[in-house]
Amino acid sequence: MKFEVKNITKSFGEKQVLNGVSFETQSGSALGILGRNGAGKTTTIRIIMQVFNANIGEVLLDGKPLDTSKVNIGYMPEERGLYPKKQIMEQLLYFAALKGIRASEAKANAKRLLERLEMTEYTNAKLNTLSKGNQQKIQLVATLICNPDIVILDEPFSGLDPVNAILLKDIVKEMITDGKIVLFSSHQMNYIEEFCDDIVILNQGKVAVSGSIKEIKRGYDRKKIYVSSQNIKAINEFVSSNISHLVKNISEQGDGLLIELNAAQDKSQVLKALADCSVDIDEFKVYEPSLNDIFVDYTEGGI
Amino acid sequence: MKQFSSIFKFELSGYLKNKVFIGLTVVVVLAIALGLSFPRIKDVFKSDAGKVPTDEGDKTKIAVCVKEGMDEGTVVSLFQSAFGDEYEIKALNADEKELTKKIKDGDYDNGLIITSPLSYKYITETKEISDSTTYIANEVLVQLYRMSALTSAGVSPNDAQKILAQNVENEIVVIGNDQTQSFIYTYVIIMLLYMSILLYGQFVSQSVASEKSSRAMEMLVTSAKPVNLMFGKVLGSGLAGLLQFIILLMSAYGFYTINEDYWKNNEIIKSAFGMPLEILLYAVVFFVLGYFIYAFMYGALGSLATRTEDINTLTMPVTFLFIAAFMVIISSITSGNVDSTLMIVCSYFPLTSPMAMFARISMSTVPVYEIIISVAILIASEIAIGYLAAVIYRAGVLMYGNTPKIKDVLKLFKRQKQI
């Protein structure tokens, strides 16, 4: 299945929240929607879920407009919430029934998911007796109980401890292997980088960049060099005094130096110069930007 | 349809599993049982005490101070026969001061000082609401005065007695409703309608607002159609309410039947339970119809609340309207004029017609076509308000923050193309 968001524009009153947002993904891959607070991530997701209607634009599944009542979609809203005073199993079955899932199937799914998330002991507990993180896991069960083809998770990692985050990560990976379309928004770049092939970075309601992470990274000029050494200071001095005409900027990062060159083709010159210097060098490589760098790069100055 | 029935069942079972709901029903049924069995319970205690012969002290003692020149014996015996066995009438020769002292000391309960054939002073420690002493004393004194006037005009005491003893006989033929009979049960049913519609309406707005404040809403609106959510919720609470309403009516009727013999002399209770079956059916119909129209409005308003505390502010206009309608209808049935222009208008206007039309049917004679028109208007407006409520609900549930103004709500309609 191919999932497309085409040219979505949305304004609330005077305020333009989304302006021509487009992206696409398909079965068996995960798409991460990134953006700073207020960039329009949740609004985009809510438009996909038809909580709001877009002013212009459309959401397509295999080329046809997406009908949320016909396609099985598992949605975990950013505003988490279930019935605090009801038993967990009772409300899980209710949400499944709303999606049109047969009671026997819903029960089996609920059991399986509760077990997978190590929550079986709370089957008959009331939701408000659980900790926040555990309530979030129940929310995930409610999202996945309908065995959805499309899974949309709005900030799924917020509020989870590292162990639970790994659990969720594994579940998301399983869903990708199962050939589902997974869409989620997050601030946690490390998780996104781990299992998203594609990302969309939103900034002020517009798509700042979208596509596969690898290609976005490749698209960056390869003019940053990372040099690590036991004696960074000496290298720093060497660079500043001998090849400063090639260098635009120099900064320390971890055990090494990040050297930004004026031009990418000067790399070999720098390598030669450093090879001849007396300081011991551990590592010399072209610096690949992290997702974090990309994110900051595209969203800085916005909002 | 399947979705609607899931929602309906979930809402209904929410009530039937709710301890407060069950507790409230049990408490009210117990109160009804106790209230209607009260004379029997009283009787049980009385019959135990009955073995001890009633003491003179149990009677209400009234002292009568007669003006000089009046026949003390006749006055006392007339008073005694007029007051009956519950009272003990004694002649006393004392002035007001002495009598007041004796009443204060507890020698007597009350005292009458007859100052002239047609005037007297009544002295009592506590004037009770049901105190009929002056009423009886007036009768006796007028009787005495007329007797002496007739005899002094030359009529023999025997003839005078006969003349004064004449009574008029009458027979009342009621073709329509007898308001003296229907008033009580109409009043009771209107009260019940008022309380239950208000209560269940509030329950609906409470339940919508709590789903919103617990943020379960976004899960719901993305899983189910708002029309199903709204109608499922309203019908679910409605059936719970109807069940409670019927349980209360049936238990009242049951406990009355058990204790019927004990209520023989109580006209109010007797007439309340003398309600024709037809009227009871109308009561159920108007409960259902009246409930829906208010429940939809309360549901829609509940969806505009951010927190459950906001509900009261938001529902105030509707509640006030409902209270005003209730006041108009109660004052109309109390005055007996249930066919006034105001009441006729009220019996067609959908927000007042459930109570107003019921009052008219119950206390007056309403042509069938009027009932049909009124019910038709009511049902049509209910469907319209139901859909409108679903639209407001759909749009309102995701509005958080300040309590919206009417202007904002109108904007929602423009924005919302589909529900």
Side-chain angles (χ1 to χ4, degrees):
Chain A
M1 283 190 292
K2 191 179 174 196
F3 178 87
E4 287 169 278
V5 167
K6 268 192 174 169
N7 195 29
I8 283 181
T9 299
K10 174 79 184 170
S11 52
F12 291 113
E14 300 286 293
K15 195 168 182 269
Q16 180 102 10
V17 181
L18 294 178
N19 194 352
V21 171
S22 303
F23 52 83
E24 58 174 72
T25 181
Q26 62 281 316
S27 296
S29 72
L31 175 73
I33 302 173
L34 315 181
R36 295 176 60 184
N37 300 326
K41 299 183 297 286
T42 296
T43 307
T44 306
I45 288 174
R46 283 182 169 171
I47 286 172
I48 294 170
M49 287 311 295
Q50 291 167 12
V51 173
F52 306 134
N53 291 322
N55 300 117
I56 314 172
E58 49 191 352
V59 180
L60 303 173
L61 186 67
D62 287 337
K64 283 175 234 145
L66 174 74
D67 183 349
T68 47
S69 63
K70 298 235 167 71
V71 182
N72 217 344
I73 303 181
Y75 170 48
M76 177 149 99
E78 186 192 17
E79 301 272 14
R80 312 271 194 267
L82 297 167
Y83 290 97
K85 286 179 189 162
K86 294 230 188 260
Q87 282 187 348
I88 282 162
M89 190 49 114
E90 187 191 357
Q91 52 182 320
L92 288 176
L93 295 182
Y94 178 54
F95 281 106
L98 292 184
K99 294 266 187 191
I101 308 294
R102 280 212 322 276
S104 54
E105 192 189 336
K107 213 165 212 168
N109 285 352
K111 267 191 187 154
R112 177 174 53 81
L113 287 163
L114 287 173
E115 208 164 304
R116 181 75 182 81
L117 285 162
E118 297 156 12
M119 296 296 288
T120 313
E121 58 182 306
Y122 300 110
T123 306
N124 293 316
K126 283 186 180 169
L127 185 73
N128 59 2
T129 60
L130 269 60
S131 72
K132 204 179 163 218
N134 283 342
Q135 289 191 18
Q136 177 133 332
K137 285 185 180 176
I138 299 299
Q139 190 91 39
L140 187 67
V141 176
T143 306
L144 301 178
I145 193 167
C146 61
N147 200 13
D149 300 318
I150 301 175
V151 182
I152 299 178
L153 309 169
D154 203 348
E155 298 285 352
F157 293 102
S158 73
L160 289 184
D161 64 39
V163 176
N164 282 327
I166 290 170
L167 198 56
L168 174 60
K169 212 170 68 186
D170 291 344
I171 289 172
V172 173
K173 276 183 183 162
E174 280 164 29
M175 290 190 293
I176 296 168
T177 340
D178 282 354
K180 296 181 194 303
I181 295 175
V182 182
L183 231 78
F184 67 95
S185 77
S186 182
H187 292 301
Q188 260 105 330
M189 300 299 155
N190 50 335
Y191 293 127
I192 292 211
E193 199 156 14
E194 225 170 297
F195 51 69
C196 275
D197 307 323
D198 303 313
I199 54 162
V200 175
I201 296 180
L202 294 180
N203 192 29
Q204 292 182 304
K206 286 183 195 150
V207 175
V209 65
S210 76
S212 90
I213 295 181
K214 267 186 205 152
E215 293 198 354
I216 292 172
K217 284 185 177 173
R218 217 168 282 154
Y220 268 68
D221 295 341
R222 300 171 74 79
K223 58 180 186 180
K224 275 189 188 170
I225 297 166
Y226 181 74
V227 181
S228 76
S229 164
Q230 299 301 317
N231 193 353
I232 311 173
K233 230 179 182 176
I235 294 190
N236 201 345
E237 274 165 21
F238 176 82
V239 171
S240 311
S241 52
N242 295 307
I243 47 169
S244 65
H245 59 285
L246 301 173
V247 176
K248 191 177 173 189
N249 190 20
I250 188 162
S251 61
E252 280 189 28
Q253 197 177 63
D255 287 337
L257 281 179
L258 192 60
I259 305 167
E260 191 180 349
L261 305 178
N262 286 323
Q265 64 267 28
D266 294 340
K267 279 199 291 277
S268 50
Q269 257 182 281
V270 176
L271 179 60
K272 264 185 207 156
L274 282 172
D276 293 341
C277 92
S278 54
V279 187
D280 180 34
I281 291 172
D282 293 339
E283 200 181 1
F284 180 95
K285 65 173 185 182
V286 173
Y287 178 76
E288 288 252 343
S290 71
L291 193 53
N292 219 33
D293 296 327
I294 297 171
F295 181 80
V296 172
D297 229 29
Y298 278 101
T299 59
E300 219 169 20
I303 303 160
Chain B
M1 203 58 211
K2 205 179 150 217
Q3 194 175 63
F4 166 79
S5 80
S6 306
I7 298 165
F8 175 74
K9 270 188 237 155
F10 184 75
E11 293 295 331
L12 181 63
S13 78
Y15 280 98
L16 302 184
K17 282 185 198 160
N18 186 327
K19 283 176 197 131
V20 178
F21 182 80
I22 296 168
L24 190 76
T25 315
V26 171
V27 166
V28 177
V29 167
L30 282 178
I32 289 174
L34 207 67
L36 286 173
S37 308
F38 185 67
R40 185 192 280 265
I41 296 164
K42 209 169 96 184
D43 218 49
V44 170
F45 286 108
K46 234 189 191 165
S47 63
D48 284 346
K51 282 158 195 159
V52 187
T54 20
D55 194 31
E56 290 280 297
D58 277 3
K59 294 183 177 182
T60 309
K61 279 189 199 166
I62 301 178
V64 179
C65 307
V66 181
K67 194 195 159 223
E68 260 177 68
M70 282 177 91
D71 182 358
E72 203 176 79
T74 319
V75 173
V76 169
S77 71
L78 270 173
F79 268 104
Q80 187 64 68
S81 63
F83 275 102
D85 292 340
E86 300 271 302
Y87 292 84
E88 189 185 355
I89 314 295
K90 275 195 172 155
L92 182 77
N93 200 356
D95 61 8
E96 193 182 328
K97 218 174 164 185
E98 283 173 67
L99 181 60
T100 310
K101 193 180 173 298
K102 280 190 193 295
I103 291 171
K104 268 193 182 160
D105 291 348
D107 293 348
Y108 295 97
D109 294 301
N110 310 313
L112 293 165
I113 302 170
I114 299 169
T115 46
S116 81
L118 285 179
S119 65
Y120 66 93
K121 211 173 239 179
Y122 175 47
I123 298 166
T124 179
E125 179 99 53
T126 322
K127 176 96 172 76
E128 286 162 13
I129 293 171
S130 60
D131 189 351
S132 55
T133 312
T134 52
Y135 176 74
I136 299 168
N138 290 355
E139 287 286 300
V140 173
L141 288 175
V142 165
Q143 192 88 354
L144 263 173
Y145 177 77
R146 285 178 183 155
M147 279 278 279
S148 69
L150 282 171
T151 42
S152 62
V155 184
S156 76
N158 247 359
D159 287 348
Q161 196 106 46
K162 267 186 197 158
I163 293 168
L164 288 172
Q166 286 305 319
N167 265 329
V168 179
E169 276 179 21
N170 66 14
E171 194 180 332
I172 301 166
V173 180
V174 182
I175 299 167
N177 270 325
D178 181 358
Q179 289 197 348
T180 55
Q181 288 296 312
S182 60
F183 171 73
I184 302 290
Y185 60 72
T186 309
Y187 198 95
V188 170
I189 294 288
I190 293 279
M191 284 298 280
L192 268 176
L193 283 178
Y194 169 76
M195 290 194 304
S196 43
I197 289 173
L198 211 54
L199 188 69
Y200 286 102
Q202 301 271 18
F203 279 169
V204 171
S205 60
Q206 199 90 224
S207 133
V208 172
S210 70
E211 276 172 1
K212 199 177 160 186
S213 71
S214 73
R215 316 265 158 159
M217 214 71 224
E218 198 162 343
M219 289 290 279
L220 290 173
V221 292
T222 53
S223 308
K225 284 197 176 122
V227 170
N228 283 344
L229 283 169
M230 190 48 136
F231 279 75
K233 191 174 279 296
V234 166
L235 285 163
S237 334
L239 186 62
L242 186 65
L243 277 175
Q244 199 180 38
F245 192 69
I246 288 172
I247 288 173
L248 297 190
L249 285 180
M250 286 198 358
S251 61
Y253 186 75
F255 284 109
Y256 172 71
T257 319
I258 296 170
N259 296 301
E260 205 172 356
D261 290 345
Y262 292 86
W263 290 109
K264 253 188 270 174
N265 299 321
N266 191 320
E267 286 303 319
I268 293 177
I269 298 290
K270 240 170 76 183
S271 82
F273 285 95
M275 179 180 0
L277 186 66
E278 185 194 320
I279 296 296
L280 192 65
L281 289 179
Y282 274 120
V284 172
V285 167
F286 282 108
F287 165 75
V288 170
L289 295 176
Y291 160 76
F292 279 128
I293 202 155
Y294 281 95
F296 281 130
M297 290 198 289
Y298 276 120
L301 290 170
S303 73
L304 299 176
T306 303
R307 295 158 302 159
T308 41
E309 297 94 278
D310 298 338
I311 298 173
N312 287 339
T313 330
L314 280 159
T315 55
M316 194 123 52
V318 175
T319 309
F320 273 149
L321 184 74
F322 190 59
I323 293 173
F326 173 71
M327 304 284 258
V328 167
I329 288 148
I330 283 292
S331 73
S332 300
I333 65 170
T334 314
S335 71
N337 187 11
V338 291
D339 287 325
S340 63
T341 320
L342 183 62
M343 276 296 277
I344 291 175
V345 172
C346 283
S347 66
Y348 289 114
F349 182 58
L351 294 179
T352 49
S353 64
M355 286 190 292
M357 194 41 117
F358 174 76
R360 287 185 62 212
I361 291 171
S362 180
M363 286 185 70
S364 160
T365 311
V366 186
V368 178
Y369 75 88
E370 283 197 20
I371 302 176
I372 293 171
I373 292 173
S374 164
V375 169
I377 294 176
L378 193 52
I379 291 175
S381 11
E382 254 152 33
I383 294 168
I385 289 183
Y387 275 91
L388 211 65
V391 175
I392 297 182
Y393 173 84
R394 177 67 178 77
V397 286
L398 290 172
M399 285 175 30
Y400 290 100
N402 296 333
T403 306
K405 298 185 184 74
I406 293 174
K407 192 180 73 188
D408 303 329
V409 176
L410 291 178
K411 255 193 219 158
L412 289 176
F413 282 106
K414 282 189 206 157
R415 211 187 287 162
Q416 205 69 37
K417 285 171 206 148
Q418 61 173 107
I419 53 166

